[in-house]
Amino acid sequence: MYPPVPERPKKTDIVRSRNGCKSCRRRRTKCDEQKPICGTCARLGRVCESIKPEFKFRVVTGPGGCLEENNQRGTDRKLPIDVVGLNASQIHVGDDIEPICRPSLASRENSLEASMITRYRMPSLSLMKSLQRLDMDLFYSTYWEDYCLPALHPTFRVASQLVDGFPALKAAILTLSSCNFGRMQTERLATTLMAPSCTFRPNITHQTRSMHYYSSAIKSFGHLSPQEYQNNVARVLTTIVLFAYIESSMGNFDGFNCHVRGLTTLLGVELSKRTGDPPSKALLVAWMQCRFHVWWARTYFSSLEVQLQQRSVLMPRALHESFENLHERRVAVLSILCESHQLNFKATLRHWDCQNVKNTGCVTERSYWPDEEEIEKYCKLLAEETKKLDNWFARLPPSERPLDIGLSSGDRQAHAPIVPVFFRSQDAALNYAYYAVSRVMQCVRFLHLLPGGDPQYIGHECDEARPWLQLLLGVVQGTNPRISIRRNNYTIGFSGLLLAALLRCQDLTLGMWIEQWLKDLEEMQPTEEGSFPVYQTVGIVKAINRQRQLGGDVFGVSLSVDDGGGTPKVSSYSSQSISTLLIHGKWRISGDLYTECISIVRD
């Protein structure tokens, strides 16, 4: 007789859970199998559902045929998912989706899963496609939870639990997740003489999948019946808000405005019924943050006429005097920031209004000035925003103030060095940066001194704002740029704030500090921060500092011809291709205002 077969050695120390919960199974994490709720679900606040083994028999038919036949036809695709542990309820046959690009299973030959899949032959190509679809969905769902949700309003954590039975919401989540991942995975392109700035693009594979998910989401949403809408109001509103975030990420202003019109109507109807509903209020807060983000992106860069005619983003009545949590306080300070910025720049840029001045070369002959009464009107409106900001600051809890309370005011010396200002969280630091820039925009002394030619004040028009500029730079200095790159995708980032601050800064030392910080950020992440193209910002900041070195203070920038915000950022990191820019400034020697067309050149 033959001797007994020797025991097969274990290839791995991993012990698989057979009685774990569905949530851990979907996340591919080890479940501790605690009852009635496991440790992971308790930590994440999820519903813990145990796995109930079941058998379902299905007749699978389709054009796939057997695997050997597909090999002969050249249609064989490697299976990029672990089939161990999948029950029949998780497999949907017939889904049509492109295969995911990931390391082949041949690279995992030492694993138990690879050996099982190698021996197991799938009889249907449709079944393989469904597994590939599950693998992609699982990957982007995990990325959504780990990287997208920390950058979004907490209300979207609840949205992740509403996807069952509502395909449009699930597809919208996967769209935003794959879009974010694709834009974080930079691909380098060959630099050409025709397009020297287009050296990077988002990962085309993940961007393509994002468009596929978005198409699926729009299709599913369009097929909703009136009855389905009435039964799923929360899911419907959440889906539209996610649509707006998708368009915001892609810089598609036309698409975003389409969702603005639709959601404004729906929110107006639904919020009148749910004024005391916390989930509806949280969704409204997330929606308004997205609107302020897009408003800021459209401000830079547009024509002078568009900047003078740009409308305010009005806060809904339900959010007035609402400071219950950090995110409500963020929307409140964003509202003050955008309104103060608009009033300040409108009062400033009217001096260069092409309808009221005549240009001779690069020096402007002034044929019209806004009179003192008109300037005073803007000052009164800015005073109202100052009162709102004082109220906001008074309600700011200690946990969201600087760790050194002495740095919370603008009482800094004129030539003090930049001192880092630290906070307990990145979100608190960003909110405080919004506060500092709002204070800069509310310095009205600049508006009175700008048109004057008194040598005593030329070159010192913005001195009132300097302490707040130093505070802003201290906040920026105290933050981690890598965290800013990940967390500022769906709100105004530090790049946009520094550019606005530079236009109210006459100190070349501070201007060069801003330029160096942006250069360091470009070396770390050359694409975007706060959905704002970093390389484009660096080029414009260099041009402004160069003008200051030549004796001109720049107080505004614009395009000669408005392009409506450009085209969506599908295969690029900027919606606008800006090679030239109009700068609006004032010469320190003569006190004359001027407009000059400059070229944006990258090193």
Side-chain angles (χ1 to χ4, degrees):
M1 266 180 89
Y2 293 101
V5 178
E7 183 178 357
R8 185 176 181 179
K10 293 180 62 177
K11 293 185 178 181
T12 177
D13 293 329
I14 297 177
V15 179
R16 295 194 173 275
S17 171
R18 300 300 179 187
N19 300 312
C21 69
K22 292 183 179 180
S23 177
C24 291
R25 180 67 59 84
R26 284 194 296 266
R27 291 172 55 86
R28 290 190 174 183
T29 58
K30 181 69 169 63
C31 184
D32 58 14
E33 301 183 21
Q34 295 182 12
K35 302 299 180 182
I37 181 171
C38 73
T40 303
C41 291
R43 178 171 55 85
L44 299 176
R46 292 174 170 270
V47 178
C48 189
E49 299 181 49
S50 59
I51 297 293
K52 297 180 180 179
E54 59 179 350
F55 293 94
K56 290 185 179 181
F57 295 92
R58 297 183 181 182
V59 178
V60 180
T61 60
C66 67
L67 190 62
E68 289 74 15
E69 293 177 355
N70 289 328
N71 287 337
Q72 297 174 1
R73 299 173 186 174
T75 58
D76 180 24
R77 294 176 179 174
K78 291 185 178 181
L79 182 65
I81 189 170
D82 179 8
V83 298
V84 179
L86 286 178
N87 57 42
S89 63
Q90 293 175 294
I91 301 176
H92 304 280
V93 179
D95 290 343
D96 187 12
I97 190 70
E98 59 173 331
I100 186 169
C101 296
R102 57 178 295 180
S104 66
L105 292 179
S107 63
R108 299 185 294 168
E109 291 178 347
N110 294 330
S111 67
L112 178 62
E113 295 85 1
S115 62
M116 292 183 65
I117 296 174
T118 302
R119 295 195 304 269
Y120 189 81
R121 297 297 182 183
M122 287 291 184
S124 171
L125 183 60
S126 297
L127 183 58
M128 293 174 63
K129 290 181 178 180
S130 70
L131 292 174
Q132 292 164 355
R133 172 66 176 269
L134 287 173
D135 196 32
M136 285 193 297
D137 291 359
L138 179 62
F139 173 79
Y140 291 127
S141 297
T142 303
Y143 183 83
W144 163 264
E145 294 177 357
D146 294 340
Y147 292 95
C148 293
L149 284 179
L152 292 167
H153 191 283
T155 188
F156 291 110
R157 297 185 182 275
V158 180
S160 302
Q161 303 173 7
L162 301 176
V163 297
D164 292 339
F166 205 79
L169 178 55
K170 178 180 179 180
I173 289 175
L174 295 176
T175 300
L176 196 59
S177 176
S178 54
C179 177
N180 181 282
F181 186 79
R183 301 192 72 78
M184 294 299 292
Q185 299 299 310
T186 304
E187 294 182 348
R188 182 180 289 273
L189 301 177
T191 304
T192 65
L193 295 177
M194 297 298 295
S197 62
C198 300
T199 56
F200 299 98
R201 74 175 182 188
N203 184 282
I204 192 64
T205 300
H206 297 286
Q207 285 290 91
T208 302
R209 288 176 187 154
S210 176
M211 294 299 99
H212 176 88
Y213 282 126
Y214 197 23
S215 175
S216 177
I218 294 294
K219 183 178 180 180
S220 298
F221 192 82
H223 288 166
L224 289 177
S225 65
Q227 185 62 34
E228 289 174 319
Y229 164 74
Q230 293 295 334
N231 295 336
N232 299 279
V233 173
R235 290 181 172 93
V236 168
L237 295 178
T238 304
T239 302
I240 300 180
V241 172
L242 284 174
F243 286 167
Y245 272 86
I246 294 167
E247 301 293 6
S248 171
S249 299
M250 300 302 295
N252 186 0
F253 296 103
D254 290 337
F256 180 83
N257 290 331
C258 175
H259 296 310
V260 167
R261 291 189 295 270
L263 193 56
T264 300
T265 302
L266 289 175
L267 286 176
V269 174
E270 294 302 329
L271 286 180
S272 61
K273 305 175 184 177
R274 306 179 175 204
T275 53
D277 184 12
S280 298
K281 184 178 180 181
L283 194 62
L284 183 59
V285 169
W287 162 242
M288 291 307 300
Q289 176 176 309
C290 186
R291 290 200 64 185
F292 290 127
H293 183 206
V294 173
W295 185 94
W296 191 272
R298 186 66 181 97
T299 298
Y300 301 100
F301 295 88
S302 55
S303 66
L304 191 63
E305 182 180 5
V306 169
Q307 294 186 46
L308 290 171
Q309 296 178 354
Q310 193 172 20
R311 297 181 179 180
S312 305
V313 179
L314 300 179
M315 282 281 281
R317 187 174 302 175
L319 297 183
H320 285 178
E321 298 295 320
S322 183
F323 307 100
E324 296 179 4
N325 53 57
L326 182 145
H327 296 277
E328 291 185 7
R329 286 187 285 274
R330 167 165 295 183
V331 168
V333 73
L334 280 174
S335 173
I336 298 170
L337 168 63
C338 292
E339 186 64 16
S340 300
H341 182 282
Q342 176 182 235
L343 293 171
N344 187 299
F345 272 75
K346 278 187 176 180
T348 301
L349 294 177
R350 287 187 64 84
H351 297 291
W352 289 275
D353 189 354
C354 59
Q355 296 179 355
N356 298 321
V357 299
K358 297 181 293 183
N359 291 331
T360 304
C362 63
V363 179
T364 301
E365 291 184 4
R366 300 185 291 270
S367 60
Y368 166 81
W369 285 113
D371 55 27
E372 190 66 27
E373 182 179 350
E374 187 174 358
I375 293 177
E376 195 61 34
K377 178 189 69 174
Y378 286 108
C379 291
K380 288 181 179 179
L381 293 174
L382 283 170
E384 295 178 5
E385 298 302 315
T386 300
K387 292 180 180 178
K388 295 179 184 178
L389 192 60
D390 291 339
N391 185 30
W392 180 89
F393 183 78
R395 299 192 182 190
L396 196 64
S399 60
E400 297 176 25
R401 293 175 184 261
L403 295 179
D404 185 350
I405 197 64
L407 299 175
S408 61
S409 68
D411 301 330
R412 293 190 168 203
Q413 297 179 1
H415 299 286
I418 303 302
V419 180
V421 183
F422 299 101
F423 293 81
R424 290 178 175 83
S425 69
Q426 178 80 5
D427 288 330
L430 188 58
N431 283 5
Y432 212 85
Y434 296 150
Y435 164 76
V437 178
S438 298
R439 290 296 191 192
V440 171
M441 297 300 154
Q442 292 168 3
C443 293
V444 297
R445 186 168 181 265
F446 161 77
L447 300 179
H448 293 285
L449 295 178
L450 174 62
D454 190 338
Q456 178 182 356
Y457 299 112
I458 293 179
H460 300 279
E461 290 88 350
C462 297
D463 283 0
E464 181 186 6
R466 183 187 173 99
W468 297 109
L469 287 168
Q470 290 179 301
L471 175 61
L472 170 66
L473 301 189
V475 174
V476 175
Q477 177 74 0
T479 58
N480 186 332
R482 295 188 182 277
I483 297 178
S484 300
I485 292 169
R486 296 197 308 267
R487 298 289 295 272
N488 297 347
N489 289 318
Y490 309 111
T491 187
I492 302 172
F494 289 117
S495 301
L497 296 178
L498 290 176
L499 179 57
L502 185 62
L503 294 173
R504 293 297 175 269
C505 171
Q506 295 174 278
D507 188 319
L508 183 59
T509 302
L510 298 182
M512 295 306 297
W513 189 98
I514 293 174
E515 180 179 330
Q516 187 59 49
W517 189 89
L518 289 170
K519 284 182 178 179
D520 294 341
L521 183 67
E522 184 182 25
E523 292 180 0
M524 185 182 307
Q525 178 74 12
T527 52
E528 60 186 359
E529 185 266 341
S531 293
F532 212 78
V534 176
Y535 73 86
Q536 208 169 68
T537 309
V538 171
I540 294 165
V541 168
K542 286 181 179 179
I544 294 174
N545 283 334
R546 197 177 304 120
Q547 283 289 313
R548 186 161 290 119
Q549 291 171 338
L550 296 175
D553 290 320
V554 180
F555 300 120
V557 296
S558 66
L559 299 179
S560 56
V561 178
D562 192 77
D563 59 3
T567 57
K569 301 183 290 186
V570 177
S571 59
S572 67
Y573 286 97
S574 60
S575 61
Q576 298 171 290
S577 179
I578 300 177
S579 58
T580 60
L581 198 69
L582 295 179
I583 59 172
H584 311 288
K586 181 178 181 179
W587 294 116
R588 290 193 176 189
I589 296 178
S590 63
D592 290 328
L593 303 185
Y594 70 95
T595 296
E596 186 172 345
C597 183
I598 61 172
S599 297
I600 305 299
V601 181
R602 297 191 66 203
D603 294 337

